[in-house]
Amino acid sequence: GRQVSLHEGSQPAWRITSSVQYFFKFVDTKGVDGLIPAGTVTVQPDQPPEIDLQEPDENWIGGPQSVIPLRGQVSDDLSVSEIQLIYRLTDRDPEQETLIPLFHRTAPPRSAADVENGPEIHHVVADWSLSQIPNLQPGSVVSWYLTARDNCGQQKDSPVRTWTLRSAEQLRRHFARQDQRLFSRLRDILQAQQ
């Protein structure tokens, strides 16, 4: 193994790049030595962040004036550096992406010692107002996803969700059909209980 000598007042640089067992060997001024078992340092590779997007679901329906609740969480084994929403208007310019920052770390990252306490979890709670997108109209197609980056620069993207926006009349008809189906199911349940 590798030997690092320590003398009074010295501060050796010891960079650990793989898991290793270590011990201390002491030598007194007369040359008598002894070993003291110390332990093991386990090196784990840094993992990219994880994204758990809870709202909205894939079946969301809305129009150009809708406000979309974004709910979920991003976790990382060490520290989350930033979270962004990225969208494209695929019916206009499918290559042009727009970024909306949702979180940017300003505090120092967690230390390696904090890893023992589990991953860092950052809750995503934001409302995305589609009315802020210029010239959005019924029939516009919006594709979007969340992206998260950790302190080491590793990035993870959520699955892309794509929606075709509806007009107020289309939304009214859609929700009227949903209400009718719900009313019919409730009527059937009540009749079955009689």
Side-chain angles (χ1 to χ4, degrees), residues 68-88:
I68 304 167
L70 300 172
R71 306 290 184 266
Q73 67 182 28
V74 174
S75 61
D76 189 66
D77 54 349
L78 192 54
S79 287
V80 177
S81 175
E82 65 183 5
I83 304 169
Q84 297 177 327
L85 177 135
I86 300 176
Y87 73 87
R88 292 178 283 138

PDB file of all heavy atoms in Angstrom, residues 68-88:
ATOM      1  N   ILE A  68     -50.112  26.652 -15.071  1.00  0.00           N
ATOM      2  CA  ILE A  68     -49.806  25.241 -14.830  1.00  0.00           C
ATOM      3  C   ILE A  68     -49.057  25.101 -13.508  1.00  0.00           C
ATOM      4  O   ILE A  68     -47.977  25.671 -13.347  1.00  0.00           O
ATOM      5  CB  ILE A  68     -48.952  24.673 -15.979  1.00  0.00           C
ATOM      6  CG1 ILE A  68     -49.670  24.878 -17.303  1.00  0.00           C
ATOM      7  CG2 ILE A  68     -48.617  23.213 -15.734  1.00  0.00           C
ATOM      8  CD1 ILE A  68     -48.809  24.658 -18.502  1.00  0.00           C
ATOM      9  N   PRO A  69     -49.601  24.324 -12.575  1.00  0.00           N
ATOM     10  CA  PRO A  69     -48.866  24.089 -11.334  1.00  0.00           C
ATOM     11  C   PRO A  69     -47.752  23.065 -11.575  1.00  0.00           C
ATOM     12  O   PRO A  69     -48.012  21.955 -12.034  1.00  0.00           O
ATOM     13  CB  PRO A  69     -49.939  23.538 -10.390  1.00  0.00           C
ATOM     14  CG  PRO A  69     -50.946  22.904 -11.289  1.00  0.00           C
ATOM     15  CD  PRO A  69     -50.908  23.678 -12.583  1.00  0.00           C
ATOM     16  N   LEU A  70     -46.528  23.461 -11.306  1.00  0.00           N
ATOM     17  CA  LEU A  70     -45.384  22.544 -11.396  1.00  0.00           C
ATOM     18  C   LEU A  70     -45.067  22.074  -9.991  1.00  0.00           C
ATOM     19  O   LEU A  70     -44.733  22.886  -9.110  1.00  0.00           O
ATOM     20  CB  LEU A  70     -44.167  23.249 -11.997  1.00  0.00           C
ATOM     21  CG  LEU A  70     -44.321  23.822 -13.399  1.00  0.00           C
ATOM     22  CD1 LEU A  70     -43.107  24.648 -13.768  1.00  0.00           C
ATOM     23  CD2 LEU A  70     -44.531  22.702 -14.403  1.00  0.00           C
ATOM     24  N   ARG A  71     -45.169  20.770  -9.742  1.00  0.00           N
ATOM     25  CA  ARG A  71     -44.917  20.211  -8.420  1.00  0.00           C
ATOM     26  C   ARG A  71     -44.064  18.961  -8.581  1.00  0.00           C
ATOM     27  O   ARG A  71     -44.304  18.139  -9.464  1.00  0.00           O
ATOM     28  CB  ARG A  71     -46.214  19.841  -7.704  1.00  0.00           C
ATOM     29  CG  ARG A  71     -47.244  20.954  -7.603  1.00  0.00           C
ATOM     30  CD  ARG A  71     -46.789  22.065  -6.646  1.00  0.00           C
ATOM     31  NE  ARG A  71     -47.818  23.078  -6.484  1.00  0.00           N
ATOM     32  CZ  ARG A  71     -47.907  24.195  -7.181  1.00  0.00           C
ATOM     33  NH1 ARG A  71     -47.033  24.439  -8.145  1.00  0.00           N
ATOM     34  NH2 ARG A  71     -48.851  25.082  -6.944  1.00  0.00           N
ATOM     35  N   GLY A  72     -43.093  18.823  -7.717  1.00  0.00           N
ATOM     36  CA  GLY A  72     -42.241  17.647  -7.737  1.00  0.00           C
ATOM     37  C   GLY A  72     -41.038  17.861  -6.848  1.00  0.00           C
ATOM     38  O   GLY A  72     -41.021  18.760  -5.997  1.00  0.00           O
ATOM     39  N   GLN A  73     -40.034  17.028  -7.047  1.00  0.00           N
ATOM     40  CA  GLN A  73     -38.805  17.211  -6.285  1.00  0.00           C
ATOM     41  C   GLN A  73     -37.605  16.740  -7.093  1.00  0.00           C
ATOM     42  O   GLN A  73     -37.716  15.881  -7.951  1.00  0.00           O
ATOM     43  CB  GLN A  73     -38.867  16.502  -4.941  1.00  0.00           C
ATOM     44  CG  GLN A  73     -38.914  15.002  -4.993  1.00  0.00           C
ATOM     45  CD  GLN A  73     -39.012  14.397  -3.600  1.00  0.00           C
ATOM     46  OE1 GLN A  73     -39.529  15.007  -2.679  1.00  0.00           O
ATOM     47  NE2 GLN A  73     -38.518  13.205  -3.448  1.00  0.00           N
ATOM     48  N   VAL A  74     -36.480  17.374  -6.789  1.00  0.00           N
ATOM     49  CA  VAL A  74     -35.204  17.009  -7.387  1.00  0.00           C
ATOM     50  C   VAL A  74     -34.292  16.617  -6.239  1.00  0.00           C
ATOM     51  O   VAL A  74     -34.208  17.326  -5.228  1.00  0.00           O
ATOM     52  CB  VAL A  74     -34.594  18.188  -8.182  1.00  0.00           C
ATOM     53  CG1 VAL A  74     -33.196  17.844  -8.670  1.00  0.00           C
ATOM     54  CG2 VAL A  74     -35.501  18.558  -9.347  1.00  0.00           C
ATOM     55  N   SER A  75     -33.636  15.480  -6.378  1.00  0.00           N
ATOM     56  CA  SER A  75     -32.710  15.038  -5.333  1.00  0.00           C
ATOM     57  C   SER A  75     -31.349  14.752  -5.945  1.00  0.00           C
ATOM     58  O   SER A  75     -31.236  14.436  -7.127  1.00  0.00           O
ATOM     59  CB  SER A  75     -33.258  13.790  -4.623  1.00  0.00           C
ATOM     60  OG  SER A  75     -33.419  12.733  -5.539  1.00  0.00           O
ATOM     61  N   ASP A  76     -30.325  14.885  -5.113  1.00  0.00           N
ATOM     62  CA  ASP A  76     -28.963  14.583  -5.548  1.00  0.00           C
ATOM     63  C   ASP A  76     -28.190  14.036  -4.362  1.00  0.00           C
ATOM     64  O   ASP A  76     -28.426  14.442  -3.217  1.00  0.00           O
ATOM     65  CB  ASP A  76     -28.258  15.821  -6.106  1.00  0.00           C
ATOM     66  CG  ASP A  76     -26.930  15.455  -6.760  1.00  0.00           C
ATOM     67  OD1 ASP A  76     -26.955  14.757  -7.788  1.00  0.00           O
ATOM     68  OD2 ASP A  76     -25.881  15.838  -6.221  1.00  0.00           O
ATOM     69  N   ASP A  77     -27.264  13.126  -4.650  1.00  0.00           N
ATOM     70  CA  ASP A  77     -26.501  12.522  -3.563  1.00  0.00           C
ATOM     71  C   ASP A  77     -25.603  13.520  -2.846  1.00  0.00           C
ATOM     72  O   ASP A  77     -25.278  13.335  -1.683  1.00  0.00           O
ATOM     73  CB  ASP A  77     -25.683  11.326  -4.055  1.00  0.00           C
ATOM     74  CG  ASP A  77     -24.786  11.652  -5.240  1.00  0.00           C
ATOM     75  OD1 ASP A  77     -24.929  12.745  -5.832  1.00  0.00           O
ATOM     76  OD2 ASP A  77     -23.940  10.811  -5.579  1.00  0.00           O
ATOM     77  N   LEU A  78     -25.251  14.628  -3.503  1.00  0.00           N
ATOM     78  CA  LEU A  78     -24.444  15.645  -2.832  1.00  0.00           C
ATOM     79  C   LEU A  78     -25.177  16.985  -2.805  1.00  0.00           C
ATOM     80  O   LEU A  78     -25.699  17.382  -1.782  1.00  0.00           O
ATOM     81  CB  LEU A  78     -23.071  15.784  -3.497  1.00  0.00           C
ATOM     82  CG  LEU A  78     -22.036  16.600  -2.728  1.00  0.00           C
ATOM     83  CD1 LEU A  78     -21.858  16.087  -1.312  1.00  0.00           C
ATOM     84  CD2 LEU A  78     -20.708  16.599  -3.451  1.00  0.00           C
ATOM     85  N   SER A  79     -25.274  17.683  -3.927  1.00  0.00           N
ATOM     86  CA  SER A  79     -25.940  18.990  -3.937  1.00  0.00           C
ATOM     87  C   SER A  79     -26.575  19.282  -5.287  1.00  0.00           C
ATOM     88  O   SER A  79     -25.965  19.047  -6.324  1.00  0.00           O
ATOM     89  CB  SER A  79     -24.942  20.115  -3.636  1.00  0.00           C
ATOM     90  OG  SER A  79     -24.571  20.106  -2.280  1.00  0.00           O
ATOM     91  N   VAL A  80     -27.796  19.821  -5.249  1.00  0.00           N
ATOM     92  CA  VAL A  80     -28.475  20.301  -6.447  1.00  0.00           C
ATOM     93  C   VAL A  80     -27.966  21.711  -6.716  1.00  0.00           C
ATOM     94  O   VAL A  80     -27.968  22.556  -5.829  1.00  0.00           O
ATOM     95  CB  VAL A  80     -30.004  20.324  -6.250  1.00  0.00           C
ATOM     96  CG1 VAL A  80     -30.696  20.898  -7.474  1.00  0.00           C
ATOM     97  CG2 VAL A  80     -30.526  18.931  -5.923  1.00  0.00           C
ATOM     98  N   SER A  81     -27.511  21.963  -7.934  1.00  0.00           N
ATOM     99  CA  SER A  81     -26.967  23.271  -8.288  1.00  0.00           C
ATOM    100  C   SER A  81     -28.018  24.169  -8.931  1.00  0.00           C
ATOM    101  O   SER A  81     -28.122  25.343  -8.606  1.00  0.00           O
ATOM    102  CB  SER A  81     -25.779  23.089  -9.228  1.00  0.00           C
ATOM    103  OG  SER A  81     -25.303  24.316  -9.677  1.00  0.00           O
ATOM    104  N   GLU A  82     -28.809  23.599  -9.885  1.00  0.00           N
ATOM    105  CA  GLU A  82     -29.839  24.404 -10.533  1.00  0.00           C
ATOM    106  C   GLU A  82     -30.936  23.516 -11.108  1.00  0.00           C
ATOM    107  O   GLU A  82     -30.717  22.350 -11.424  1.00  0.00           O
ATOM    108  CB  GLU A  82     -29.258  25.296 -11.630  1.00  0.00           C
ATOM    109  CG  GLU A  82     -28.669  24.551 -12.802  1.00  0.00           C
ATOM    110  CD  GLU A  82     -28.044  25.490 -13.826  1.00  0.00           C
ATOM    111  OE1 GLU A  82     -27.972  26.704 -13.592  1.00  0.00           O
ATOM    112  OE2 GLU A  82     -27.636  24.986 -14.876  1.00  0.00           O
ATOM    113  N   ILE A  83     -32.130  24.131 -11.215  1.00  0.00           N
ATOM    114  CA  ILE A  83     -33.285  23.474 -11.817  1.00  0.00           C
ATOM    115  C   ILE A  83     -33.894  24.484 -12.790  1.00  0.00           C
ATOM    116  O   ILE A  83     -34.060  25.648 -12.449  1.00  0.00           O
ATOM    117  CB  ILE A  83     -34.334  23.074 -10.760  1.00  0.00           C
ATOM    118  CG1 ILE A  83     -33.703  22.177  -9.683  1.00  0.00           C
ATOM    119  CG2 ILE A  83     -35.521  22.373 -11.419  1.00  0.00           C
ATOM    120  CD1 ILE A  83     -34.588  21.964  -8.472  1.00  0.00           C
ATOM    121  N   GLN A  84     -34.198  24.010 -13.998  1.00  0.00           N
ATOM    122  CA  GLN A  84     -34.782  24.889 -15.014  1.00  0.00           C
ATOM    123  C   GLN A  84     -35.934  24.183 -15.723  1.00  0.00           C
ATOM    124  O   GLN A  84     -35.917  22.956 -15.867  1.00  0.00           O
ATOM    125  CB  GLN A  84     -33.745  25.271 -16.077  1.00  0.00           C
ATOM    126  CG  GLN A  84     -32.583  26.058 -15.546  1.00  0.00           C
ATOM    127  CD  GLN A  84     -31.557  26.339 -16.635  1.00  0.00           C
ATOM    128  OE1 GLN A  84     -31.357  25.541 -17.533  1.00  0.00           O
ATOM    129  NE2 GLN A  84     -30.909  27.485 -16.533  1.00  0.00           N
ATOM    130  N   LEU A  85     -36.894  24.976 -16.161  1.00  0.00           N
ATOM    131  CA  LEU A  85     -37.932  24.499 -17.062  1.00  0.00           C
ATOM    132  C   LEU A  85     -37.494  24.946 -18.458  1.00  0.00           C
ATOM    133  O   LEU A  85     -37.098  26.102 -18.639  1.00  0.00           O
ATOM    134  CB  LEU A  85     -39.285  25.121 -16.709  1.00  0.00           C
ATOM    135  CG  LEU A  85     -40.417  24.739 -17.653  1.00  0.00           C
ATOM    136  CD1 LEU A  85     -41.651  24.377 -16.845  1.00  0.00           C
ATOM    137  CD2 LEU A  85     -40.734  25.857 -18.608  1.00  0.00           C
ATOM    138  N   ILE A  86     -37.545  24.040 -19.410  1.00  0.00           N
ATOM    139  CA  ILE A  86     -37.159  24.358 -20.788  1.00  0.00           C
ATOM    140  C   ILE A  86     -38.338  24.014 -21.690  1.00  0.00           C
ATOM    141  O   ILE A  86     -38.878  22.911 -21.613  1.00  0.00           O
ATOM    142  CB  ILE A  86     -35.898  23.579 -21.217  1.00  0.00           C
ATOM    143  CG1 ILE A  86     -34.733  23.952 -20.284  1.00  0.00           C
ATOM    144  CG2 ILE A  86     -35.567  23.846 -22.681  1.00  0.00           C
ATOM    145  CD1 ILE A  86     -33.462  23.187 -20.528  1.00  0.00           C
ATOM    146  N   TYR A  87     -38.757  24.977 -22.508  1.00  0.00           N
ATOM    147  CA  TYR A  87     -39.872  24.700 -23.407  1.00  0.00           C
ATOM    148  C   TYR A  87     -39.546  25.138 -24.830  1.00  0.00           C
ATOM    149  O   TYR A  87     -38.680  25.965 -25.062  1.00  0.00           O
ATOM    150  CB  TYR A  87     -41.171  25.357 -22.909  1.00  0.00           C
ATOM    151  CG  TYR A  87     -41.237  26.858 -23.075  1.00  0.00           C
ATOM    152  CD1 TYR A  87     -41.700  27.435 -24.270  1.00  0.00           C
ATOM    153  CD2 TYR A  87     -40.855  27.705 -22.046  1.00  0.00           C
ATOM    154  CE1 TYR A  87     -41.764  28.807 -24.418  1.00  0.00           C
ATOM    155  CE2 TYR A  87     -40.932  29.081 -22.188  1.00  0.00           C
ATOM    156  CZ  TYR A  87     -41.386  29.620 -23.372  1.00  0.00           C
ATOM    157  OH  TYR A  87     -41.454  30.982 -23.517  1.00  0.00           O
ATOM    158  N   ARG A  88     -40.287  24.523 -25.768  1.00  0.00           N
ATOM    159  CA  ARG A  88     -40.206  24.854 -27.191  1.00  0.00           C
ATOM    160  C   ARG A  88     -41.623  24.958 -27.733  1.00  0.00           C
ATOM    161  O   ARG A  88     -42.512  24.232 -27.301  1.00  0.00           O
ATOM    162  CB  ARG A  88     -39.493  23.744 -27.979  1.00  0.00           C
ATOM    163  CG  ARG A  88     -38.042  23.601 -27.668  1.00  0.00           C
ATOM    164  CD  ARG A  88     -37.414  22.471 -28.449  1.00  0.00           C
ATOM    165  NE  ARG A  88     -37.802  21.196 -27.830  1.00  0.00           N
ATOM    166  CZ  ARG A  88     -38.152  20.122 -28.506  1.00  0.00           C
ATOM    167  NH1 ARG A  88     -38.182  20.130 -29.816  1.00  0.00           N
ATOM    168  NH2 ARG A  88     -38.477  19.019 -27.888  1.00  0.00           N
TER     169      ARG A  88
END
